Amino acid sequence: MNIPFFDLRSQYRDIRSEIDAAIARTLESGSFILGPEGERFERAFADYCNARHALGVASGTEAIQLALMACGVRPGDRVVTVANTAVPTVVAIVSAGAVPVLVDVDPETLTLSPAHLREALQHASGAIKAIVPVHLYGHAADMDPILEVARQYGAAVVEDCAQAHGTRYKGRQVGTLGDAGAFSFYPTKNLGAYGDAGAVTTNDRGIAEKIAMLRNYGERAKYDNAMLGINSRLDEVQAAVLSAKLRHLNTWVEQRRTHAELYRQELAGAPVQLPGASAWSHNSYHLYVVRTKHRARLQKHLADAGVATAIHYPTPVHLQEAYRYLGYTASQFPVAEAACREVLSLPIYPELSHDAITYISRTVRQFEATA
Ligand SMILES: *Cc1c(COP(=O)(O)O)cnc(C)c1O
């Protein structure tokens, strides 16, 4: 057995004719930036998310940055997010000119803890302008109490949905719960481009209009610059690819969920802690993350059996060299830090076979945690 951690080529082979046609059509059109393909994808993705607006941008990181800027975040403002996320969440906050304020996560879901959030806002030395909950691994953060705290303190909410295409919170698609949602279409995400791409979703027309300007040099109309913008556009080739792939997204998310259910059954009795699955989250399983105090040995045990795994993430943001300037110390966020020592991501992608999941699970069950 040789099971890779993800397999983008087999997806391409499955839908090659649709992808090749979409790319050829775009090349023939002679239109490459902010054209009909982008508009078509934005409409389709907004519909998928049940959002009024979707705006294509150049990456998930810039989707977060632009959403924060459109929500009024200005240089020097403070923005809360979690200590254990993909570092780009924090890169985006810093790129918006803001100061990240980190908080610990809930031990069950590893998403923003409403209790820690409330505490952070009570004790913040300055006003908190925005909050960025992360729907980590495709598990929705507990948005109702988060939105309640945000309203109480007058903070905007930008959901980091980079790992959560197709995730629902109490029946509602993520990306429509806060002021704006930020999606990444990095190739390995649930919906992936063949390059970098991202989108912002929102139900607020004012925010949508600002993003449309901010992503395009701040232009309201050609050579009419109303805002201090950047260049972060979704190109037409990626938009055409994404439109072709979007038609398959529901199926792919269902396949991920079926795989997760099979893992749950097959890993019964295995010496690992299974992923959290709160009743409020219709989980899209971007990643399937187990926990063990013997991670290095389990990872090697799986590698020896031909199973590739990954770690999301080995180091929390506050212990990364680049973020020392924020002044946090080790053991400040114990839940995030324990997770970073124990989490291990098993392969999960639509094309993964049931035989592979059975094999991976058996290999994990055979692991001698106490050896
Ligand atoms: C992938 C990811 C991002 C960044 O997206 P890019 O498209 O790579 O810029 C942000 N946040 C989270 C949680 C991610 O997983």
Side-chain angles (χ1 to χ4, degrees):
M1 275 281 194
N2 182 12
I3 304 171
F5 188 68
F6 39 66
D7 179 7
L8 296 177
R9 284 190 304 176
S10 73
Q11 186 197 64
Y12 172 58
R13 288 193 200 108
D14 288 346
I15 56 170
R16 170 178 266 156
S17 61
E18 296 160 59
I19 297 294
D20 290 2
I23 292 174
R25 178 179 79 226
T26 310
L27 300 188
E28 279 295 334
S29 79
S31 169
F32 298 103
I33 302 280
L34 293 183
E37 290 292 344
E39 281 173 28
R40 186 140 55 110
F41 173 68
E42 287 174 345
R43 193 62 261 146
F45 192 66
D47 289 346
Y48 178 85
C49 296
N50 217 354
R52 275 202 204 107
H53 311 275
L55 292 112
V57 300
S59 73
T61 308
E62 286 173 344
I64 302 167
Q65 178 191 343
L66 290 165
L68 290 171
M69 291 166 74
C71 287
V73 170
R74 295 279 165 271
D77 284 344
R78 298 146 90 59
V79 173
V80 172
T81 194
V82 289
N84 71 314
T85 180
V87 165
T89 311
V90 184
V91 170
I93 293 170
V94 174
S95 296
V99 181
V101 175
L102 301 176
V103 302
D104 211 348
V105 290
D106 171 78
E108 178 63 18
T109 67
L110 301 184
T111 61
L112 180 60
S113 152
H116 288 308
L117 174 65
R118 186 178 295 280
E119 208 178 313
L121 269 73
Q122 274 162 359
H123 295 118
S125 49
I128 300 290
K129 192 79 188 195
I131 299 163
V132 184
V134 181
H135 304 302
L136 197 70
Y137 310 151
H139 190 298
D142 192 2
M143 291 302 293
D144 279 345
I146 291 169
L147 290 167
E148 190 188 308
V149 175
R151 262 193 300 274
Q152 188 184 338
Y153 287 88
V157 174
V158 172
E159 298 168 70
D160 182 341
C161 307
Q163 302 188 358
H165 323 60
T167 295
R168 283 180 245 149
Y169 175 75
K170 299 184 181 172
R172 294 165 65 197
Q173 293 279 352
V174 298
T176 61
L177 304 155
D179 296 279
F183 289 84
S184 165
F185 306 120
Y186 184 83
T188 57
K189 305 282 159 129
N190 291 0
L191 177 62
Y194 291 125
D196 275 313
V200 179
T201 51
T202 182
N203 287 328
D204 182 317
R205 205 170 99 191
I207 290 175
E209 285 170 354
K210 284 191 184 122
I211 303 261
M213 292 189 249
L214 288 167
R215 71 176 173 184
N216 192 33
Y217 320 128
E219 286 188 350
R220 179 163 44 207
K222 202 151 183 67
Y223 308 131
D224 172 12
N225 290 77
M227 300 185 78
L228 293 176
I230 62 173
N231 173 358
S232 179
R233 300 169 302 220
L234 173 64
D235 71 68
E236 292 282 280
V237 173
Q238 298 304 343
V241 165
L242 287 166
S243 287
K245 286 193 172 195
L246 182 59
R247 291 194 279 275
H248 300 277
L249 183 55
N250 271 331
T251 307
W252 290 337
V253 169
E254 277 315 305
Q255 285 168 323
R256 288 175 180 275
R257 289 174 53 78
T258 303
H259 294 346
E261 177 55 24
L262 187 59
Y263 265 132
R264 196 183 64 75
Q265 290 168 15
E266 294 278 327
L267 287 172
V272 292
Q273 184 186 330
L274 301 188
S278 307
W280 69 68
S281 181
H282 178 91
N283 200 336
S284 65
Y285 287 100
H286 174 59
L287 295 168
Y288 193 88
V289 180
V290 299
R291 291 178 68 161
T292 167
K293 293 213 169 17
H294 312 280
R295 178 175 65 196
R297 280 202 301 113
L298 177 57
Q299 190 168 34
K300 178 165 188 309
H301 173 77
L302 283 160
D304 290 346
V307 179
T309 57
I311 297 172
H312 300 90
Y313 296 89
T315 307
V317 175
H318 64 290
L319 301 181
Q320 292 281 2
E321 181 183 342
Y323 298 98
R324 272 190 212 142
Y325 77 97
L326 296 173
Y328 296 106
T329 52
S331 59
Q332 191 156 0
F333 303 119
V335 181
E337 290 170 31
C340 289
R341 285 190 296 270
E342 297 175 4
V343 291
L344 185 66
S345 306
L346 305 180
I348 191 164
Y349 38 90
E351 300 76 17
L352 190 64
S353 72
H354 283 199
D355 284 350
I357 294 170
T358 306
Y359 173 79
I360 296 165
S361 303
R362 187 170 64 233
T363 308
V364 174
R365 285 200 311 271
Q366 286 162 350
F367 174 62
E368 305 270 348
T370 50

